[in-house]
Each structure stands twice: as C-alpha cells, then as structure tokens.
Amino acid sequence: MGRNTIAIPSKVMARILESAGAHRVSKEAANTLRDIIMGKAKEISEQAIKIAKHSGRTTVNDGDVRLAVRKH
C-alpha cells in the first residue's frame, strides 16, 4: 500500500456491519469490507492530494477530501 500500511482490525468492520443491522458477521465478510473500504479510501486520498496540489498547497484539508468524495 505504501510506506505506512494501516491495518484496520476485522472486529471493527464486523461492528460496522452489526451497527447496520447484521445479526452475525463472518470473518471473511469483515475482511472483504475492510479491503474494499481501504481501496476506496486510497482512491479518495489520491484525488484529495491532487486537489490540494492543484490549489498550490501541500496540506490536504477537509474540503479537499469532501471534493474528492464528490468527484469519486
């Protein structure tokens, strides 16, 4: 993923699925959700970085992230 790979525990993903109404969640389902979310987060992050650079900044701000989500 990059120099600082972040691992989100599958239990966190299971809690998200449970908060959405799932009664039980397999480890595979939690891991799949994690992989998808991490992929989307990377895509959004890359777009937010481009937006910040286009604006002449090196700091990515919340507006960059929000705009990247809308463009994504």
Side-chain angles (χ1 to χ4, degrees):
M1 252 216 219
R3 59 179 193 218
N4 294 323
T5 302
I6 298 171
I8 300 173
S10 60
K11 288 186 179 194
V12 172
M13 296 294 105
R15 279 189 232 126
I16 291 170
L17 286 161
E18 289 165 355
S19 72
H23 296 289
R24 297 179 67 199
V25 178
S26 71
K27 186 166 186 153
E28 293 80 12
N31 288 339
T32 298
L33 179 60
R34 179 192 57 217
D35 293 346
I36 291 168
I37 288 174
M38 292 300 294
K40 294 293 181 185
K42 185 176 180 193
E43 291 171 13
I44 292 166
S45 297
E46 290 168 350
Q47 184 65 34
I49 291 165
K50 288 178 186 176
I51 292 166
K53 284 183 181 178
H54 181 74
S55 298
R57 293 180 280 107
T58 57
T59 301
V60 176
N61 63 35
D62 64 322
D64 300 328
V65 175
R66 291 177 191 279
L67 183 56
V69 168
R70 279 188 263 152
K71 285 187 171 193
H72 187 68

